[in-house]
Amino acid sequence: LECVEETGFGVGTTLVAGGFIVGAVITPDMTRFNRSVGDVVKQTALGVTLGEYVIGLAGVLLAHAVGSSDITRVITSSVGWVGILVILLGTFKINDWNIYSSSLGVTNFIDVVFGRKVNRGVVTLVLGIVGSVLAAVGFLDAFTPFLIVLGVVFPPIAGIMVAEYFVVKRWRRELSESESLPATSPTWVPATLVIWALAAVVGSFVTVGIPSINSVVVAFVLYVIAGKA
């Protein structure tokens, strides 16, 4: 029999909900060249409904039919080596998005905080090498704890973004009127960093509810209070 490590409800929900929220936070990287709000909605809606639910459900049904959680066995037992090719191409595509978003984040961070322009191609290459090295040395063994950390660290960012844009609206006008980051936008907002840290701590240590949702709600509420004060 295959030994499977049990995952608690809190951990499982954090992995799932946190993963969705991380995806929501980096969605602007993927939709930045869309021509309209409608295009953004269509892209994200189709990605969630078709990509997450329909294809995910198909994978679950195939796994039950084959009687295994081994994705390679599931695919080879159903559609053969064509399925393996699909997995490989899908992995390339997913990691293409990951490294694209990572390179944007790193280059923008260096530009905004330190005022230095760095070559995005070089950053992308370095990140790709680092990711490959981590995979080679067995980082996958610690992947679940890493995802748990992401599941409580990233969600507060979403809470702050939603609170600012829809409730506080301190910089909404400038953001709406500008096609890039407004010149009047601050480099650092200390209160936001404090709120983010507090929300992440709550998500990490409060055991009631779903950690990732807790961190989103705490960040949202604290930012609204700070913004309206």
Side-chain angles (χ1 to χ4, degrees):
L1 293 176
E2 188 177 323
C3 181
V4 179
E5 183 180 354
E6 291 188 3
T7 300
F9 177 77
V11 173
T13 52
T14 298
L15 292 175
V16 175
F20 271 97
I21 296 172
V22 170
V25 170
I26 67 173
T27 292
D29 294 340
M30 317 307 171
T31 60
R32 58 200 296 251
F33 295 115
N34 286 7
R35 297 180 179 179
S36 66
V37 175
D39 289 340
V40 175
V41 173
K42 285 184 287 186
Q43 178 178 340
T44 52
L46 286 175
V48 171
T49 56
L50 182 61
E52 295 288 344
Y53 296 143
V54 177
I55 296 178
L57 177 60
V60 171
L61 294 176
L62 284 173
H64 278 288
V66 175
S68 173
S69 60
D70 185 344
I71 185 63
T72 304
R73 181 181 172 188
V74 171
I75 295 298
T76 53
S77 300
S78 55
V79 292
W81 289 104
V82 175
I84 298 298
L85 179 61
V86 171
I87 293 176
L88 291 175
L89 293 177
T91 302
F92 276 116
K93 183 58 180 176
I94 291 171
N95 286 295
D96 172 53
W97 279 118
N98 288 337
I99 200 168
Y100 174 71
S101 181
S102 299
S103 64
L104 279 180
V106 171
T107 53
N108 287 338
F109 176 80
I110 295 174
D111 182 20
V112 172
V113 176
F114 300 105
R116 297 188 60 182
K117 299 285 186 182
V118 293
N119 187 288
R120 189 180 300 165
V122 174
V123 172
T124 302
L125 180 62
V126 171
L127 290 175
I129 293 173
V130 171
S132 299
V133 170
L134 288 175
V137 298
F139 179 74
L140 192 61
D141 295 335
F143 196 54
T144 298
F146 172 71
L147 291 179
I148 294 173
V149 172
L150 285 186
V152 295
V153 170
F154 259 77
I157 300 174
I160 292 170
M161 292 168 64
V162 172
E164 163 58 35
Y165 194 78
F166 291 103
V167 181
V168 178
K169 302 180 181 180
R170 179 167 297 176
W171 291 290
R172 177 168 178 173
R173 181 177 178 181
E174 289 84 350
L175 289 171
S176 299
E177 294 176 350
S178 176
E179 294 183 355
S180 59
L181 193 65
T184 56
S185 61
T187 301
W188 293 98
V189 183
T192 301
L193 297 176
V194 172
I195 291 169
W196 166 74
L198 289 174
V201 169
V202 170
S204 299
F205 295 102
V206 173
T207 58
V208 179
I210 300 174
S212 56
I213 303 301
N214 291 344
S215 61
V216 170
V217 173
V218 170
F220 179 89
V221 172
L222 290 180
Y223 190 87
V224 170
I225 293 173
K228 296 295 185 179

